[in-house]
Amino acid sequence: MPESEKKQYLCDDRTTPYILIVDDSRSDICLLESILRSHGFVSQSLTDPTEVFEHCRAARPEIVLLDISMPVMNGFQVCAQLKNNPTLADIPVLFLTAMSDVADKIRGFKAGGSDFLVKPYEPSELIARISTQISLRRAQHELACRNQELKEEIHDKERAHAALLDSESRNEAVLNNAAVCIGLLSLDGTYEMVNGLYADVFGYSRAEFQHMRLQDIVHPDHVAATEEVMEFIRYGQLEQHYADKKFVRQDGSVFPGGHWLSPRRTGYGTCNGFVCIISDLTEQKKAEDELRLAHTVFETSSEGMLVTDAENRIIMVNPAFTAITGYQREQAIGKDPSFLQSDRQDKGFYQQMWKVLLRKNSWQGEIWNRRYNGEEYPQWLSIAVIRNPNQSIANYVALFSDISDRKKAEEILRHQAMHDPLTRLPNRVMFDERLRSSLSRAKRLNSQVALLYLDLDNFKTINDSLGHLAGDRVLQMVADRLRDCLRLEDVVARIGGDEFSAILDDIISIDDALATAERIIASLGEIDCSVAGERLQTSVGIALYPDHGTDTEDLLRHADDAMYTAKRLGKGRSFLAGTASDDEPTGK
């Protein structure tokens, strides 16, 4: 290659930096792309190894992640093809393999490979190795530029001194602006030079480092292993080394770091020192721990969780989602969550929900959805909007719980609060509520409502003679007969003790109420109380809306007064409010 072209190639190599992934497994490529993307790297991928050479010539990658076992051409052949081309030979090649085989490693290094990664990948190791290779290649790239300039200076002595200073300055700038700690070590581990970040991370000055050894900053747990590695590299038994280790700052604090060690060689190939690169993994490890914790919570939560993309397509669900809805993960991924909807909420409900969600970035409430088996069930749903830094929507996250049991418990409690436990009839609380509702409806429709107030005339005698258990049984029979005497839309309630009341909606005339009262008296009179052959007698007071009152208090008072009038006139009969008590009483 002409010298002018070589210089151009060396110095313009990183116009479009990216990482090239070569693997015949699409799933492996997707995993690598996901890890790289989460750490800010740009990547491209190929599944056909025969396309690598031309692809690299067209757009040079910063590093190639190369699978070994592939059809047509294996990874070693692809690597050799790249290394045999002068314009592509300096691209680092990191082999990917499912087996940690020494023979494969030897063959890979002979083919020109820089390192090996064994599947499955540990994300922190993968990123550290790639970052270190890229940093090392960039440093070597700058050093190569410098060496090229020095060669030119030999042919042009007038520019030699200026070019040398410029090259040294640029080299210093590269080292000091590197995102990792870079240091040059002698054979015994003594520092000859460190970049600015090295000094900043460990808290020593660059001058202090010149009197220190690598072993001074490595945690005691790793010193012996590090010294062994240095011996292996020095005598050619190991070409490069990477490991996660603990390091100690000047103030005694310990932090996790990725440690890369490679040889420095003389022109004759002899190792005369080491290049030491350390990356601070504190934030990365913290992020990984948080991610691991979030994943654990996601997988073990008893609440159903789902995540959608900005277009509201499901991209992730947890096991509790399947347990609650009955839908497997594969059946939900890619769908809009609306496929879970029941018919309980109308279109307006969902429009309002989305309006609140997009305005406040969150929404929560009770909603009815449908399980895989078609069963509708209530759930408590919380939705949050996740936004990008530019405020565009990135994701929606939904958490929900099945509240069927809670709703059933609430219904049981409500039923118990609103019903008499002995007769299972509505109690006074529910009766008052239904009466207010009936009067409100009657006012709106201009209709009539009859209120019947009943008292069992000789019930005390039954209790005293036969006991309370027999009395309870009589009350239950009374409740059954009252239900039979009324229409389905009518309401009958036990007000207390031996008193009952009934609401008759939409009566045509007073005769309807009187007929119902006489039917009740006759039916209850058929109950044999087994007390001296007596049968049950009932007094019924009747009041009408709106004739005898327009609110619940007035209507109840008139019905109660009418019932007591019926008792005074002989019991076992009915009496209509507003009728003169000295006239012939209403009823029989």
Side-chain angles (χ1 to χ4, degrees):
M1 179 188 296
E3 288 296 314
S4 60
E5 291 182 14
K6 190 171 184 179
K7 179 183 178 183
Q8 184 68 21
Y9 146 67
L10 285 171
C11 297
D12 294 339
D13 182 39
R14 294 185 283 120
T15 55
T16 54
Y18 74 97
I19 296 171
L20 178 60
I21 304 170
V22 184
D23 199 316
D24 61 338
S25 170
R26 176 53 59 183
S27 61
D28 287 354
I29 287 177
C30 290
L31 173 61
L32 286 169
E33 287 178 338
S34 176
I35 295 173
L36 293 173
R37 185 166 55 251
S38 67
H39 288 81
F41 289 100
V42 177
S43 64
Q44 298 181 19
S45 62
L46 294 173
T47 57
D48 186 350
T50 63
E51 299 176 358
V52 175
F53 183 77
E54 290 300 325
H55 185 93
C56 291
R57 289 184 61 186
R60 290 172 53 80
E62 288 207 287
I63 187 171
V64 178
L65 306 185
L66 183 58
D67 187 27
I68 292 178
S69 300
M70 293 183 290
V72 184
M73 293 179 69
N74 62 36
F76 301 129
Q77 293 171 315
V78 175
C79 181
Q81 188 181 42
L82 293 175
K83 298 302 177 181
N84 288 333
N85 185 281
T87 64
L88 305 177
D90 68 323
I91 298 176
V93 175
L94 197 156
F95 284 112
L96 309 174
T97 179
M99 299 175 59
S100 182
D101 185 81
V102 175
D104 281 347
K105 289 187 176 181
I106 294 173
R107 185 179 176 187
F109 285 130
K110 286 183 177 180
S114 301
D115 200 0
F116 278 77
L117 266 178
V118 179
K119 306 174 184 178
Y121 312 111
E122 171 61 32
S124 59
E125 179 184 359
L126 171 67
I127 296 304
R129 286 177 182 256
I130 290 174
S131 300
T132 303
Q133 282 287 354
I134 290 175
S135 297
L136 185 59
R137 177 178 176 273
R138 289 177 179 175
Q140 291 171 342
H141 173 80
E142 296 295 335
L143 291 173
C145 287
R146 176 190 173 195
N147 290 335
Q148 183 63 28
E149 291 169 358
L150 289 174
K151 289 180 182 179
E152 291 181 357
E153 289 171 7
I154 294 174
H155 301 288
D156 191 358
K157 293 183 179 180
E158 292 181 356
R159 297 182 300 157
H161 184 63
L164 178 61
L165 292 177
D166 181 61
S167 177
E168 290 176 348
S169 176
R170 288 199 296 151
N171 187 45
E172 180 75 9
V174 169
L175 291 174
N176 285 330
N177 286 283
V180 292
C181 303
I182 302 177
L184 302 180
L185 310 176
S186 64
L187 288 175
D188 67 350
T190 300
Y191 285 97
E192 297 178 0
M193 185 273 289
V194 297
N195 67 348
L197 185 62
Y198 217 118
D200 293 340
V201 168
F202 285 93
Y204 297 98
S205 69
R206 299 174 75 175
E208 287 177 309
F209 265 111
Q210 294 182 353
H211 304 286
M212 296 172 60
R213 300 169 67 223
L214 174 61
Q215 293 89 324
D216 296 330
I217 62 168
V218 175
H219 192 276
D221 292 349
H222 303 291
V223 169
T226 300
E227 291 178 338
E228 184 179 28
V229 166
M230 292 169 67
E231 288 295 305
F232 287 161
I233 294 176
R234 178 177 181 179
Y235 293 106
Q237 296 172 276
L238 185 64
E239 183 62 25
Q240 294 171 325
H241 163 75
Y242 174 82
D244 285 356
K245 299 178 182 178
K246 292 183 291 185
F247 294 91
V248 183
R249 298 186 182 92
Q250 183 187 37
D251 60 9
S253 60
V254 178
F255 71 94
H259 186 208
W260 187 276
L261 206 60
S262 58
R264 295 165 53 201
R265 298 192 185 278
T266 65
Y268 300 100
T270 305
C271 179
N272 65 347
F274 308 95
V275 177
C276 175
I277 299 177
I278 298 172
S279 58
D280 187 346
L281 302 180
T282 302
E283 292 303 318
Q284 182 177 314
K285 293 290 186 182
K286 180 180 177 182
E288 289 174 0
D289 290 342
E290 291 176 351
L291 184 61
R292 190 178 298 109
L293 176 60
H295 177 74
T296 300
V297 171
F298 185 81
E299 290 294 316
T300 60
S301 173
S302 60
E303 288 188 310
M305 299 183 187
L306 67 85
V307 181
T308 74
D309 59 18
E311 284 70 44
N312 205 32
R313 292 187 297 266
I314 297 175
I315 60 175
M316 190 183 302
V317 299
N318 71 339
F321 172 92
T322 297
I324 294 173
T325 68
Y327 285 95
Q328 298 298 317
R329 178 182 180 277
E330 296 75 14
Q331 296 172 301
I333 298 299
K335 291 185 178 180
D336 189 295
S338 60
F339 82 97
L340 298 168
Q341 290 177 6
S342 68
D343 298 325
R344 297 287 187 104
Q345 287 85 25
D346 58 17
K347 183 178 179 180
F349 172 87
Y350 290 105
Q351 289 175 339
Q352 180 63 23
M353 182 190 80
W354 276 101
K355 182 178 179 181
V356 173
L357 177 61
L358 295 177
R359 186 177 74 251
K360 297 185 176 181
N361 290 325
S362 65
W363 181 90
Q364 64 176 355
E366 183 180 309
I367 193 170
W368 283 79
N369 273 345
R370 181 179 285 110
R371 304 187 206 272
Y372 178 74
N373 62 6
E375 175 192 358
E376 294 182 354
Y377 70 101
Q379 65 175 218
W380 184 259
L381 174 64
S382 299
I383 309 174
V385 180
I386 308 300
R387 295 187 181 272
N388 294 310
N390 64 0
Q391 293 304 301
S392 63
I393 294 175
N395 301 97
Y396 298 99
V397 179
L399 287 77
F400 62 90
S401 56
D402 185 346
I403 59 172
S404 300
D405 291 341
R406 192 184 82 186
K407 296 288 286 185
K408 290 177 183 177
E410 289 175 353
E411 187 60 33
I412 291 173
L413 289 176
R414 174 175 171 77
H415 186 275
Q416 292 174 345
M418 304 293 262
H419 287 77
D420 173 50
L422 178 63
T423 62
R424 302 189 306 279
L425 292 176
N427 60 13
R428 181 61 179 263
V429 175
M430 185 174 181
F431 176 79
D432 290 343
E433 182 181 299
R434 292 294 298 272
L435 181 57
R436 283 192 295 271
S437 176
S438 291
L439 297 186
S440 175
R441 179 177 177 274
K443 181 178 180 181
R444 188 171 63 253
L445 300 179
N446 195 28
S447 60
Q448 292 188 97
V449 176
L451 178 63
L452 277 57
Y453 209 95
L454 294 73
D455 182 81
L456 307 181
D457 294 325
N458 52 344
F459 183 73
K460 185 176 184 304
T461 305
I462 297 171
N463 259 348
D464 293 344
S465 302
L466 303 179
H468 290 288
L469 289 179
D472 290 346
R473 178 57 189 146
V474 169
L475 291 174
Q476 291 170 340
M477 288 189 289
V478 167
D480 291 339
R481 287 177 175 265
L482 287 175
R483 291 190 191 95
D484 293 339
C485 290
L486 299 176
R487 301 169 299 178
L488 289 177
E489 62 267 30
D490 296 333
V491 177
V492 61
R494 183 185 178 194
I495 303 303
D498 59 353
E499 294 184 348
F500 297 82
S501 190
I503 304 170
L504 312 181
D505 287 321
D506 299 323
I507 64 169
I508 304 301
S509 68
I510 184 57
D511 293 337
D512 294 338
L514 292 171
T516 300
E518 294 307 319
R519 191 163 56 250
I520 290 173
I521 293 170
S523 178
L524 299 188
E526 295 174 0
I527 298 176
D528 184 0
C529 300
S530 300
V531 180
E534 287 190 14
R535 292 189 176 274
L536 194 63
Q537 288 185 320
T538 307
S539 296
V540 181
I542 306 170
L544 297 181
Y545 169 90
D547 297 352
H548 304 124
T550 57
D551 58 40
T552 58
E553 290 77 8
D554 283 347
L555 213 58
L556 282 168
R557 179 170 54 80
H558 281 95
D560 187 55
D561 289 346
M563 181 269 293
Y564 279 106
T565 301
K567 278 183 173 292
R568 192 178 72 250
L569 293 175
K571 303 181 181 180
R573 61 184 66 226
S574 63
F575 189 83
L576 176 64
T579 304
S581 59
D582 54 351
D583 293 339
E584 182 65 25
T586 301
K588 299 178 181 179

